[in-house]
Amino acid sequence: MSQFILAIDQGTTSTRAIVFDETYHVRGTGQQEFPQHFPRSGWVEHDPEDIWRTVQETMRFALANAGLALSDIAAIGITNQRETTILWDRASGRPIHNAIVWQDRRTAERCAAMKADGIEPALTAKTGLLLDPYFSGSKIGWILDQVPGARARAERGELAFGTVDTFLLWRLTGGRVHATDATNASRTLLFDIRSGEWDDELLALFGVPRAILPEVRDSAADFGVTDPAVVGAAVRIAGIAGDQHAATLGQACFRPGMLKSTYGTGCFALLNTGADLVQSKNRLLTTIAYRLDGKTTYALEGSIFVAGAAVQWLRDGLRMLERADQAGPMAAEADPHQNVYLVPAFTGLGAPWWDAEARGALFGLTRNTGPNEFVRAALESVCYQTRDLLDAMRRDWTRAGETVLRVDGGMVASDWTMQRLADILDAPVDRPVVLETTALGAAWLAGRQVGVWPAEEGFAASWRLNQQFLPHMAADLREAKLAGWRDAVRRTLTGG
């Protein structure tokens, strides 16, 4: 049997496909960016057809790059941007509206009104989430209410809902499979993470007909077979996980207490809490880390809306740099005596603040502030936000103890950023040899399911360290910088 696994990694700003061999090495890749749509301030959309097109094309590129055909692949794993919401016509497969992206804040008023009614505590107890526009539930309701005739069609079972994984699975199987996995389901505000089922009270709360929902399966499961008429060959789809959960798996964070943080468009830290479903007292999220063989493993998660997107803003919006990889060297040249803070609340602030109405702000500007100081402030904002998450996790779960952070995502290629992260956290930061951990996690799920890759213990033994960054910053300097950051956040919060 073939040992090659194909991972589809569908992200917020680009789609990648990666072929891994039996030793977990990358044999071929394909990547494409796709357009972002901003119809109004705080609104973010994708055209689902752009997503589907880039998936097809990157699959072809990756296979060609590896010198393989799709028929050479043992199985496919899918990982995806989470919470992004798509509804489509079951008969034609065509979306009825653009995808509403996880960053989108259009339902903030509705969520605020529901919160004012005292609904959030009961909702959090079931879902582990907060009542926020970030998640899928209110997005579904918005589409059903705004697209003429959509609600009646949904109640008749003519429409299908899915996060991006479900939409891609539908397309890849020629409309034969409408399913998701437990990790993606757990991000909708419609799923009880204790029972592992869609919840009728939550569905009624958000006005979502059960008829549009996908079946929920384990993260490693039989998700059907690709349609040869669509992609050219019949290949098993055997693993699905939301991107942050897949990265947790790719980092082999199988033991309770292990922590990973992914630095992409946003930043997402997951702390494995094992069988402990920890209800946060510090406005973190309780989520399903993964579900294997019917057994659920839980995690505490902190979500930062803007990480790499801040560098993207400096590059594309302000044109302060031409390439993202220039950020580290520019930050290193910044004036150490200027204390410039960027609070990147472009679409609100995530954990542990959860202020949907906050907007980005810069503090500490002088006449001498230039591009280097702007870039350093953007990179440091990611470090400060990670520290806020880690502090909250330690307060919520005392078993966390001393933490070594395993990192991945595009930003971790910057040595400067990783060193500053270790300095701000006052903790070691481990960067692995394989940085494509999100795709690797999806590939591992598929490989495990079809029996060509080992289970948890065998896979964990393959994890390799590229470089460990140890904290070197003086304690008084660290505390002064953190005090400046906390003051900047306080001034940015709408309730501050």
Side-chain angles (χ1 to χ4, degrees), residues 205 232 436 439:
L205 183 65
E436 302 289 359

Side-chain angles (χ1 to χ4, degrees), residues 114-160:
M114 294 169 71
K115 193 177 296 188
D117 290 338
I119 290 168
E120 187 174 59
L123 181 148
T124 299
K126 284 187 176 183
T127 67
L129 308 177
L130 299 172
L131 185 46
D132 192 87
Y134 176 32
F135 305 106
S136 307
S138 61
K139 293 176 168 65
I140 300 170
W142 188 93
I143 294 174
L144 291 178
D145 290 337
Q146 295 299 316
V147 175
R151 183 165 293 282
R153 296 187 64 208
E155 291 169 353
R156 293 196 298 267
E158 296 173 10
L159 303 182

Side-chain angles (χ1 to χ4, degrees), residues 284-336:
L284 298 176
L285 307 178
T286 305
T287 195
I288 293 176
Y290 48 87
R291 195 172 81 187
L292 298 171
D293 303 322
K295 179 183 177 182
T296 299
T297 295
Y298 295 99
L300 279 172
E301 176 178 330
S303 305
I304 297 168
F305 296 156
V306 173
V311 177
Q312 198 174 39
W313 169 64
L314 294 177
R315 183 193 67 188
D316 301 339
L318 301 186
R319 304 196 182 282
M320 287 188 174
L321 65 167
E322 294 181 355
R323 303 185 317 276
D325 61 7
Q326 295 173 311
M330 290 177 68
E333 294 297 320
D335 180 356

Side-chain angles (χ1 to χ4, degrees), residues 120-337:
E120 187 174 59
L123 181 148
T124 299
K126 284 187 176 183
T127 67
L129 308 177
L130 299 172
L131 185 46
D132 192 87
Y134 176 32
F135 305 106
S136 307
S138 61
K139 293 176 168 65
I140 300 170
W142 188 93
I143 294 174
L144 291 178
D145 290 337
Q146 295 299 316
V147 175
R151 183 165 293 282
R153 296 187 64 208
E155 291 169 353
R156 293 196 298 267
E158 296 173 10
L159 303 182
F161 153 71
T163 42
V164 171
D165 59 301
T166 302
F167 176 68
L168 295 180
L169 182 64
W170 177 280
R171 286 286 178 95
L172 287 166
T173 60
R176 292 179 177 85
V177 181
H178 186 211
T180 189
D181 89 299
T183 69
N184 280 294
S186 76
R187 311 296 297 190
T188 60
L189 282 174
L190 307 174
F191 191 74
D192 187 325
I193 61 174
R194 283 185 173 83
S195 68
E197 303 287 346
W198 299 117
D199 184 88
D200 286 329
E201 289 184 356
L202 297 173
L203 295 178
L205 183 65
F206 288 98
V208 176
R210 181 176 279 271
I212 70 173
L213 298 176
E215 178 188 345
V216 181
R217 302 180 184 177
D218 285 356
S219 303
D222 178 8
F223 288 99
V225 177
T226 60
D227 185 343
V230 175
V231 293
V235 179
R236 292 175 67 181
I237 303 170
I240 291 178
D243 50 10
Q244 306 314 316
H245 314 265
T248 301
L249 297 168
Q251 290 277 32
C253 290
F254 297 118
R255 288 185 289 104
M258 297 186 76
L259 174 67
K260 79 89 203 174
S261 191
T262 298
Y263 296 93
T265 302
C267 167
F268 303 87
L270 263 73
L271 174 68
N272 185 328
T273 62
D276 292 351
L277 193 159
V278 180
Q279 291 284 5
S280 176
K281 296 179 176 63
N282 294 282
R283 298 184 68 75
L284 298 176
L285 307 178
T286 305
T287 195
I288 293 176
Y290 48 87
R291 195 172 81 187
L292 298 171
D293 303 322
K295 179 183 177 182
T296 299
T297 295
Y298 295 99
L300 279 172
E301 176 178 330
S303 305
I304 297 168
F305 296 156
V306 173
V311 177
Q312 198 174 39
W313 169 64
L314 294 177
R315 183 193 67 188
D316 301 339
L318 301 186
R319 304 196 182 282
M320 287 188 174
L321 65 167
E322 294 181 355
R323 303 185 317 276
D325 61 7
Q326 295 173 311
M330 290 177 68
E333 294 297 320
D335 180 356
H337 301 295

